[in-house]
Amino acid sequence: GQNIDQPTEMTATEGAIVQINCTYQTSGFNGLFWYQQHAGEAPTFLSYNVLDGLEEKGRFSSFLSRSKGYSYLLLKELQMKDSASYLCAVRDRRYSTLTFGKGTMLLVSP
Amino acid sequence: DVKVTQSSRYLVKRTGEKVFLECVQDMDHENMFWYRQDPGLGLRLIYFSYDVKMKEKGDIPEGYSVSREKKERFSLILESASTNQTSMYLCASSKQGPRSDTQYFGPGTRLTVL
């Protein structure tokens, strides 16, 4: 099975940098995903890591350490529209199913 | 552009009714998934399908069934709706393969069972 932990809530200021951590225990790891979900909307894909290291995509970066069962999502130059829930998800090796963490609600204030 | 659609955004049903939630994707994806999302519990997998007429139980299949008669369509069925099935239901699809793509989500159906 999978067990995924991430903080419930975080707050940050516009223009700042925030790091959202995710730890996981899994029996068959095949990649880690980050999704963004605004209130009342569907999750949208942000990033994907399957090898150790940092993946950068504009203002967003994601890091993975498979040996530590650890990932983080880094958001730079925060904007008000970044206020959303951020979901960490681990993919199963056999069926490509995703197990999601409970999500981190990020509130960006002026 | 990638598209996953769900038949209703909001649905209100009564206890004991049979409920059908429909999901259609236009990306020729092999895999399709049904989740429910509840406050404090996150997204939980109900059922998934990796091919036409194939289905596999997810983490919380009790009280639900599914149907996949065509590749593009995946239906979630609540045989006898109960109040504890009030939730947001999200459908998703993805390609198959070892480096398969991410899952793409539909807009969700908010189901209320009275």
Side-chain angles (χ1 to χ4, degrees), chain A residues 38-42, chain B residues 6-13 19-22 86-89 107-113:
Chain A
H38 285 101
E41 297 182 10
Chain B
Q6 295 182 227
S7 48
S8 308
R9 288 302 303 270
Y10 300 93
L11 209 51
V12 179
K13 296 291 181 181
V19 182
F20 292 87
L21 302 182
E22 304 283 341
T86 292
S87 186
M88 171 68 89
Y89 289 87
T109 296
R110 186 163 293 282
L111 172 67
T112 302
V113 182

Side-chain angles (χ1 to χ4, degrees), chain A residues 10-14 16-18 78 106-110:
Chain A
M10 297 183 72
T11 58
T13 307
E14 201 173 9
I17 299 173
V18 71
L78 280 173
L106 173 66
L107 178 63
V108 180
S109 57

Side-chain angles (χ1 to χ4, degrees), chain B residues 84-101:
Chain B
N84 64 12
Q85 292 178 310
T86 292
S87 186
M88 171 68 89
Y89 289 87
L90 288 157
C91 174
S93 72
S94 71
K95 288 191 295 190
Q96 262 178 11
R99 295 233 1 124
S100 62
D101 209 346

Side-chain angles (χ1 to χ4, degrees), chain A residues 54-108:
Chain A
L54 190 68
E55 294 282 340
E56 296 188 79
K57 202 187 263 189
R59 293 190 299 116
F60 294 0
S61 305
S62 58
F63 171 83
L64 175 67
S65 168
R66 287 171 297 169
S67 62
K68 295 182 179 175
Y70 169 69
S71 173
Y72 68 73
L73 179 70
L74 194 72
L75 293 77
K76 303 175 190 173
E77 302 168 17
L78 280 173
Q79 303 174 9
M80 298 294 289
K81 67 178 182 180
D82 297 329
S83 291
S85 185
Y86 291 86
L87 312 178
C88 172
V90 172
R91 184 166 63 191
D92 175 78
R93 184 184 304 278
R94 187 177 176 204
Y95 282 121
S96 295
T97 56
L98 292 180
T99 300
F100 284 83
K102 291 183 172 64
T104 299
M105 180 67 68
L106 173 66
L107 178 63
V108 180

Side-chain angles (χ1 to χ4, degrees), chain A residues 30 33 35 37 40-43 45 48 50 87 91 95-102, chain B residues 9 33 35 37 40-41 43 45 48 50 56 90 98-103 105-107:
Chain A
N30 191 25
F33 292 79
Y35 285 81
Q37 186 178 25
E41 297 182 10
F45 170 73
Y48 166 65
V50 67
L87 312 178
R91 184 166 63 191
Y95 282 121
S96 295
T97 56
L98 292 180
T99 300
F100 284 83
K102 291 183 172 64
Chain B
R9 288 302 303 270
F33 308 85
Y35 297 89
Q37 187 172 32
L41 296 176
L43 273 158
L45 182 64
F48 63 100
Y50 53 88
E56 294 285 342
L90 288 157
R99 295 233 1 124
S100 62
D101 209 346
T102 182
Q103 291 184 17
F105 284 84

